Amino acid sequence: DGGITQSPKYLFRKEGQNVTLSCEQNLNHDAMYWYRQDPGQGLRLIYYSQIVNDFQKGDIAEGYSVSREKKESFPLTVTSAQKNPTAFYLCASSGAADTQYFGPGTRLTVL
Amino acid sequence: QKEVEQNSGPLSVPEGAIASLNCTYSDRGSQSFFWYRQYSGKSPELIMSIYSNGDKEDGRFTAQLNKASQYVSLLIRDSQPSDSATYLCAVKIGGFQKLVFGTGTRLLVSP
């Protein structure tokens, strides 16, 4: 089955803690993306990567970090510098066409 | 002015009616447009993409694009209660495959 997987489905973070969200795709897509979704605000781009070992900041990158060491994987770390991390995090990927396909998401809650 | 604007709704229609969802965008150079459906608590799933002026039909869904007026719409014929969801409009802005999302329109289809 081709697709995008994200783990965990639910994640709880304590104050001052860094957490890492996993995103894996087996669609052979070059580009991958991380979005954050808050109620009533739509999707906002955190980071994106066009190719392995390269990534760019999106609109709300502060407090987040990423890596792209493999084509299939694009993990997102939510650092303690992100003051309001409670949100629904969505990973997406796209191939040669413009179309982005989404994973099932990770819901992060700060305790 | 927001880059991509949608009426947040809710848009309420009876079962069997036509639901009309609208989206306007600010970048006159945009070339690629997408409609996603998002059920509560789930990730967005692609319904349609449209690139040329005019209509594009796929089953009960029709996307309409008018670049001169900078709007894109989605018509859902024979609406079903299972169509009740939030519909996100996304527009490719800039040279890379970066999508800007509207905040979504919530559709409620009553039996």
Side-chain angles (χ1 to χ4, degrees):
Chain A
D1 263 341
I4 304 171
T5 58
Q6 291 186 243
S7 62
K9 185 174 182 180
Y10 299 97
L11 185 58
F12 299 91
R13 193 194 93 166
K14 296 180 180 179
E15 293 287 342
Q17 188 179 44
N18 292 355
V19 293
T20 298
L21 284 61
S22 170
C23 177
E24 303 276 336
Q25 55 98 359
N26 61 6
L27 301 169
N28 200 33
H29 286 169
D30 285 319
M32 298 186 73
Y33 314 80
W34 274 104
Y35 293 91
R36 168 181 173 144
Q37 187 175 36
D38 297 278
Q41 294 196 42
L43 276 68
R44 292 184 290 168
L45 184 64
I46 304 173
Y47 269 97
Y48 62 98
S49 169
Q50 301 179 59
I51 199 169
V52 175
N53 293 323
D54 185 60
F55 50 83
Q56 286 80 39
K57 293 181 178 179
D59 301 318
I60 55 164
E62 184 175 352
Y64 301 97
S65 66
V66 294
S67 63
R68 186 84 187 278
E69 297 176 0
K70 298 188 301 182
K71 186 175 185 177
E72 302 79 16
S73 179
F74 191 40
L76 173 74
T77 296
V78 183
T79 74
S80 57
Q82 172 49 240
K83 297 307 179 187
N84 185 23
T86 295
F88 189 38
Y89 289 86
L90 291 158
C91 178
S93 70
S94 64
D98 300 352
T99 308
Q100 293 185 19
Y101 298 92
F102 286 86
T106 292
R107 197 165 297 276
L108 173 62
T109 302
V110 174
L111 299 175
Chain B
Q1 181 187 7
K2 292 183 180 178
E3 292 179 287
V4 178
E5 294 202 61
Q6 296 180 257
N7 188 317
S8 61
L11 173 66
S12 296
V13 300
E15 183 175 357
I18 296 175
S20 178
L21 305 163
N22 299 311
C23 172
T24 59
Y25 60 94
S26 60
D27 185 351
R28 188 171 287 279
S30 298
Q31 296 294 322
S32 306
F33 307 86
F34 305 85
W35 283 101
Y36 289 84
R37 177 176 63 197
Q38 187 175 25
Y39 292 111
S40 180
K42 303 295 185 183
S43 63
E45 55 181 325
L46 180 72
I47 299 176
M48 299 186 68
S49 58
I50 187 166
Y51 304 93
S52 304
N53 277 331
D55 295 358
K56 179 181 179 182
E57 187 174 319
D58 184 359
R60 295 188 295 112
F61 299 96
T62 299
Q64 299 176 317
L65 175 60
N66 185 322
K67 291 184 180 179
S69 300
Q70 295 177 243
Y71 82 77
V72 56
S73 61
L74 180 69
L75 301 179
I76 306 174
R77 290 183 299 281
D78 188 23
S79 295
Q80 301 297 310
S82 58
D83 293 326
S84 297
T86 297
Y87 290 80
L88 302 172
C89 171
V91 179
K92 178 186 170 185
I93 293 178
F96 177 55
Q97 297 150 318
K98 175 181 175 181
L99 295 184
V100 177
F101 287 81
T103 54
T105 298
R106 186 177 171 211
L107 174 66
L108 298 175
V109 182
S110 54

